PDB file of all heavy atoms in Angstrom:
ATOM      1  N   ARG C 421     -21.427   1.171   6.290  1.00  0.00           N
ATOM      2  CA  ARG C 421     -22.128   1.365   7.603  1.00  0.00           C
ATOM      3  C   ARG C 421     -23.508   1.974   7.313  1.00  0.00           C
ATOM      4  O   ARG C 421     -24.158   2.364   8.272  1.00  0.00           O
ATOM      5  CB  ARG C 421     -21.359   2.262   8.497  1.00  0.00           C
ATOM      6  CG  ARG C 421     -20.031   1.657   8.893  1.00  0.00           C
ATOM      7  CD  ARG C 421     -19.190   2.682   9.810  1.00  0.00           C
ATOM      8  NE  ARG C 421     -17.976   2.085  10.212  1.00  0.00           N
ATOM      9  CZ  ARG C 421     -17.030   2.730  10.956  1.00  0.00           C
ATOM     10  NH1 ARG C 421     -17.332   3.944  11.297  1.00  0.00           N
ATOM     11  NH2 ARG C 421     -15.914   2.178  11.279  1.00  0.00           N
ATOM     12  N   TRP C 422     -23.901   2.153   6.071  1.00  0.00           N
ATOM     13  CA  TRP C 422     -25.191   2.798   5.747  1.00  0.00           C
ATOM     14  C   TRP C 422     -26.293   1.795   5.796  1.00  0.00           C
ATOM     15  O   TRP C 422     -26.228   0.695   5.300  1.00  0.00           O
ATOM     16  CB  TRP C 422     -25.045   3.448   4.369  1.00  0.00           C
ATOM     17  CG  TRP C 422     -26.344   4.084   3.933  1.00  0.00           C
ATOM     18  CD1 TRP C 422     -27.268   3.589   3.049  1.00  0.00           C
ATOM     19  CD2 TRP C 422     -26.809   5.316   4.378  1.00  0.00           C
ATOM     20  NE1 TRP C 422     -28.266   4.500   2.922  1.00  0.00           N
ATOM     21  CE2 TRP C 422     -28.070   5.548   3.749  1.00  0.00           C
ATOM     22  CE3 TRP C 422     -26.346   6.338   5.238  1.00  0.00           C
ATOM     23  CZ2 TRP C 422     -28.768   6.759   3.920  1.00  0.00           C
ATOM     24  CZ3 TRP C 422     -27.123   7.427   5.451  1.00  0.00           C
ATOM     25  CH2 TRP C 422     -28.249   7.681   4.818  1.00  0.00           C
ATOM     26  N   GLN C 423     -27.357   2.253   6.521  1.00  0.00           N
ATOM     27  CA  GLN C 423     -28.568   1.439   6.576  1.00  0.00           C
ATOM     28  C   GLN C 423     -29.603   1.998   5.622  1.00  0.00           C
ATOM     29  O   GLN C 423     -29.894   3.176   5.639  1.00  0.00           O
ATOM     30  CB  GLN C 423     -29.208   1.499   8.036  1.00  0.00           C
ATOM     31  CG  GLN C 423     -28.211   0.989   9.171  1.00  0.00           C
ATOM     32  CD  GLN C 423     -28.110  -0.529   9.037  1.00  0.00           C
ATOM     33  OE1 GLN C 423     -29.038  -1.239   8.619  1.00  0.00           O
ATOM     34  NE2 GLN C 423     -27.002  -1.066   9.584  1.00  0.00           N
ATOM     35  N   ASN C 424     -29.971   1.173   4.648  1.00  0.00           N
ATOM     36  CA  ASN C 424     -31.017   1.604   3.671  1.00  0.00           C
ATOM     37  C   ASN C 424     -32.305   2.163   4.364  1.00  0.00           C
ATOM     38  O   ASN C 424     -32.876   1.408   5.121  1.00  0.00           O
ATOM     39  CB  ASN C 424     -31.301   0.470   2.752  1.00  0.00           C
ATOM     40  CG  ASN C 424     -32.105   0.871   1.501  1.00  0.00           C
ATOM     41  OD1 ASN C 424     -33.248   1.349   1.661  1.00  0.00           O
ATOM     42  ND2 ASN C 424     -31.539   0.743   0.447  1.00  0.00           N
ATOM     43  N   MET C 425     -32.661   3.347   4.094  1.00  0.00           N
ATOM     44  CA  MET C 425     -33.680   3.978   4.802  1.00  0.00           C
ATOM     45  C   MET C 425     -35.015   3.356   4.462  1.00  0.00           C
ATOM     46  O   MET C 425     -36.023   3.520   5.192  1.00  0.00           O
ATOM     47  CB  MET C 425     -33.801   5.503   4.446  1.00  0.00           C
ATOM     48  CG  MET C 425     -32.500   6.236   4.747  1.00  0.00           C
ATOM     49  SD  MET C 425     -32.246   6.539   6.550  1.00  0.00           S
ATOM     50  CE  MET C 425     -33.558   7.557   6.941  1.00  0.00           C
ATOM     51  N   ARG C 426     -35.099   2.660   3.271  1.00  0.00           N
ATOM     52  CA  ARG C 426     -36.294   1.982   2.852  1.00  0.00           C
ATOM     53  C   ARG C 426     -36.459   0.642   3.444  1.00  0.00           C
ATOM     54  O   ARG C 426     -37.632   0.190   3.659  1.00  0.00           O
ATOM     55  CB  ARG C 426     -36.318   1.991   1.368  1.00  0.00           C
ATOM     56  CG  ARG C 426     -37.642   1.404   0.777  1.00  0.00           C
ATOM     57  CD  ARG C 426     -38.716   2.507   0.753  1.00  0.00           C
ATOM     58  NE  ARG C 426     -39.917   2.091   0.169  1.00  0.00           N
ATOM     59  CZ  ARG C 426     -41.017   2.919  -0.019  1.00  0.00           C
ATOM     60  NH1 ARG C 426     -40.904   4.134   0.333  1.00  0.00           N
ATOM     61  NH2 ARG C 426     -42.070   2.481  -0.585  1.00  0.00           N
ATOM     62  N   GLN C 427     -35.349  -0.055   3.790  1.00  0.00           N
ATOM     63  CA  GLN C 427     -35.431  -1.384   4.206  1.00  0.00           C
ATOM     64  C   GLN C 427     -35.115  -1.534   5.741  1.00  0.00           C
ATOM     65  O   GLN C 427     -35.462  -2.543   6.366  1.00  0.00           O
ATOM     66  CB  GLN C 427     -34.430  -2.242   3.474  1.00  0.00           C
ATOM     67  CG  GLN C 427     -34.786  -2.314   1.934  1.00  0.00           C
ATOM     68  CD  GLN C 427     -33.710  -3.032   1.134  1.00  0.00           C
ATOM     69  OE1 GLN C 427     -32.510  -3.032   1.553  1.00  0.00           O
ATOM     70  NE2 GLN C 427     -34.094  -3.694   0.056  1.00  0.00           N
ATOM     71  N   ALA C 428     -34.368  -0.583   6.338  1.00  0.00           N
ATOM     72  CA  ALA C 428     -33.930  -0.692   7.672  1.00  0.00           C
ATOM     73  C   ALA C 428     -35.145  -0.581   8.652  1.00  0.00           C
ATOM     74  O   ALA C 428     -36.113   0.170   8.337  1.00  0.00           O
ATOM     75  CB  ALA C 428     -32.881   0.297   8.058  1.00  0.00           C
ATOM     76  N   TYR C 429     -35.079  -1.223   9.800  1.00  0.00           N
ATOM     77  CA  TYR C 429     -36.060  -1.118  10.770  1.00  0.00           C
ATOM     78  C   TYR C 429     -35.938   0.284  11.396  1.00  0.00           C
ATOM     79  O   TYR C 429     -34.871   0.916  11.413  1.00  0.00           O
ATOM     80  CB  TYR C 429     -35.906  -2.226  11.798  1.00  0.00           C
ATOM     81  CG  TYR C 429     -37.126  -2.352  12.793  1.00  0.00           C
ATOM     82  CD1 TYR C 429     -38.290  -2.757  12.340  1.00  0.00           C
ATOM     83  CD2 TYR C 429     -36.917  -2.060  14.141  1.00  0.00           C
ATOM     84  CE1 TYR C 429     -39.360  -2.833  13.217  1.00  0.00           C
ATOM     85  CE2 TYR C 429     -38.049  -2.174  15.020  1.00  0.00           C
ATOM     86  CZ  TYR C 429     -39.228  -2.529  14.588  1.00  0.00           C
ATOM     87  OH  TYR C 429     -40.266  -2.663  15.433  1.00  0.00           O
ATOM     88  N   TRP C 430     -37.036   0.754  11.952  1.00  0.00           N
ATOM     89  CA  TRP C 430     -37.020   2.126  12.429  1.00  0.00           C
ATOM     90  C   TRP C 430     -36.013   2.407  13.561  1.00  0.00           C
ATOM     91  O   TRP C 430     -35.597   3.477  13.715  1.00  0.00           O
ATOM     92  CB  TRP C 430     -38.475   2.551  12.829  1.00  0.00           C
ATOM     93  CG  TRP C 430     -38.904   1.924  14.107  1.00  0.00           C
ATOM     94  CD1 TRP C 430     -39.533   0.771  14.322  1.00  0.00           C
ATOM     95  CD2 TRP C 430     -38.712   2.476  15.443  1.00  0.00           C
ATOM     96  NE1 TRP C 430     -39.778   0.555  15.651  1.00  0.00           N
ATOM     97  CE2 TRP C 430     -39.326   1.573  16.404  1.00  0.00           C
ATOM     98  CE3 TRP C 430     -38.190   3.660  15.939  1.00  0.00           C
ATOM     99  CZ2 TRP C 430     -39.330   1.760  17.753  1.00  0.00           C
ATOM    100  CZ3 TRP C 430     -38.220   3.884  17.283  1.00  0.00           C
ATOM    101  CH2 TRP C 430     -38.809   2.956  18.216  1.00  0.00           C
ATOM    102  N   THR C 431     -35.703   1.356  14.295  1.00  0.00           N
ATOM    103  CA  THR C 431     -34.745   1.579  15.339  1.00  0.00           C
ATOM    104  C   THR C 431     -33.342   1.907  14.855  1.00  0.00           C
ATOM    105  O   THR C 431     -32.462   2.517  15.455  1.00  0.00           O
ATOM    106  CB  THR C 431     -34.705   0.393  16.274  1.00  0.00           C
ATOM    107  OG1 THR C 431     -34.368  -0.776  15.472  1.00  0.00           O
ATOM    108  CG2 THR C 431     -35.971   0.255  17.018  1.00  0.00           C
ATOM    109  N   SER C 432     -33.103   1.493  13.562  1.00  0.00           N
ATOM    110  CA  SER C 432     -31.812   1.753  12.874  1.00  0.00           C
ATOM    111  C   SER C 432     -31.894   2.970  11.938  1.00  0.00           C
ATOM    112  O   SER C 432     -30.983   3.781  11.894  1.00  0.00           O
ATOM    113  CB  SER C 432     -31.318   0.563  12.020  1.00  0.00           C
ATOM    114  OG  SER C 432     -31.152  -0.592  12.890  1.00  0.00           O
TER     115      SER C 432
END
Side-chain angles (χ1 to χ4, degrees):
R421 297 178 180 177
W422 178 257
Q423 299 289 334
N424 191 294
M425 302 291 291
R426 187 76 178 185
Q427 297 174 332
Y429 192 65
W430 71 270
T431 55
S432 300

